[in-house]
Amino acid sequence: MSEFVPKQWILAWDQFGREHPRLKHGPAVVAFLLFTFLGQSILGLIRYFYGVLPLFSWPLMFLSTTALAQMFVIRFAGKAYERQLLEQARSLEKLAEHKLIFEINGEQTSIRLEELGSEEAGLAISIVATIQVRFENLDPVQPISMKRLDIALYRGSSEIFTWKSLRYSSNGAGIKTDEFEGMMIQGGRLTSWYILHGMLTVADKEVLRASDITYADYITLTMYAGGHQKPLTGNFHPHWSEALTPKGTNQITVTGVTYLPKDFRRLH
């Protein structure tokens, strides 16, 4: 019989039961009949046996029960829709959680800042980043692909335009980009270490010299993974004055991802 009951009634009755479990008895069809046919039929029987009731009593009861029914549906069906939207949002947030992550080994990570060109030929600066990274799939079962990595230079919340390149290697041997990007990482697996060789040549007229780089400037490394996972970004804040030395600097503050400054061995 419930197939004759509008979906809004079922939704409202279910929400009513969630908020007032002690007051809810029976399926949604009970409420539907109570607020419509049954309540009005009782008045019809009263009028049949007691003809003294005013003639306007029937339409008055009809309007009253109809209004009461609409108020019931609007209130509880509206709450039910809000609850469903919230549940869907939470479900999407759960899908977007970072299940594939990456860690940085501070001992093998450095950033070097170079000044290029001359006043006559034109000035420019280049940033060379050597970053040791490994990946871990926190999902115990589902494999996840590491689609690609992106490196960038930021000042505050704005990206500084650069010409960029990324190369990859492991144990001294180079890895082709199409073999590295898109690799599938099995559930529960922690990969070996990889070296990322990134170069950023700044193409901004306001950033031509090393002195134009300030504490507000930092490098980002962003990983894009498969599925619904949102991008994961690590922020690298190097000691820029030390980065001007020939070997660069490993005095770097890293936020957003796991940073292992010295001993990267696991105890488990």
Side-chain angles (χ1 to χ4, degrees), residues 58-88:
W58 171 252
L60 182 61
M61 178 59 75
F62 179 83
L63 291 175
S64 299
T65 54
T66 301
L68 182 61
Q70 292 300 320
M71 290 173 61
F72 177 85
V73 171
I74 291 173
R75 175 177 174 79
F76 289 101
K79 286 187 174 182
Y81 280 123
E82 291 178 359
R83 174 178 54 80
Q84 289 180 345
L85 289 174
L86 182 60
E87 290 175 351
Q88 290 176 1

Side-chain angles (χ1 to χ4, degrees), residues 6-25:
K7 292 182 179 180
Q8 290 83 353
W9 277 98
I10 299 175
L11 196 62
W13 190 240
D14 177 70
Q15 183 66 26
F16 177 78
R18 288 172 179 267
E19 296 186 16
H20 309 284
R22 295 184 180 181
L23 298 180
K24 180 187 175 184
H25 298 282

Side-chain angles (χ1 to χ4, degrees), residues 59-220:
L60 182 61
M61 178 59 75
F62 179 83
L63 291 175
S64 299
T65 54
T66 301
L68 182 61
Q70 292 300 320
M71 290 173 61
F72 177 85
V73 171
I74 291 173
R75 175 177 174 79
F76 289 101
K79 286 187 174 182
Y81 280 123
E82 291 178 359
R83 174 178 54 80
Q84 289 180 345
L85 289 174
L86 182 60
E87 290 175 351
Q88 290 176 1
R90 288 174 177 171
S91 177
L92 290 175
E93 288 179 0
K94 188 173 182 179
L95 287 174
E97 288 179 353
H98 294 126
K99 295 182 177 63
L100 182 63
I101 63 172
F102 65 88
E103 299 176 339
I104 303 299
N105 174 18
E107 284 190 329
Q108 301 298 322
T109 295
S110 64
I111 293 176
R112 187 173 80 253
L113 180 61
E114 298 179 350
E115 290 185 323
L116 307 174
S118 63
E119 293 286 351
E120 296 76 16
L123 295 171
I125 59 173
S126 176
I127 299 171
V128 179
T130 302
I131 303 172
Q132 190 171 52
V133 60
R134 66 181 175 186
F135 306 93
E136 183 176 12
N137 186 353
L138 300 179
D139 191 307
V141 178
Q142 188 69 29
I144 303 176
S145 64
M146 196 291 295
K147 287 187 174 180
R148 65 184 179 90
L149 295 171
D150 181 64
I151 192 170
L153 176 64
Y154 271 78
R155 171 166 293 173
S157 59
S158 302
E159 182 177 357
I160 298 176
F161 183 75
T162 59
W163 301 103
K164 62 184 73 175
S165 67
L166 263 179
R167 295 182 296 104
Y168 312 103
S169 66
S170 178
N171 297 321
I175 304 174
K176 294 181 179 179
T177 300
D178 57 355
E179 293 179 357
F180 183 81
E181 297 180 347
M183 67 175 173
M184 191 68 68
I185 301 172
Q186 299 301 316
R189 184 191 171 197
L190 177 68
T191 70
S192 57
W193 290 101
Y194 299 94
I195 295 290
L196 278 58
H197 309 270
M199 177 173 287
L200 299 168
T201 302
V202 180
D204 189 309
K205 294 181 179 180
E206 296 183 357
V207 186
L208 298 175
R209 300 175 177 83
S211 58
D212 295 329
I213 295 290
T214 71
Y215 68 91
D217 303 326
Y218 58 97
I219 295 170
T220 65

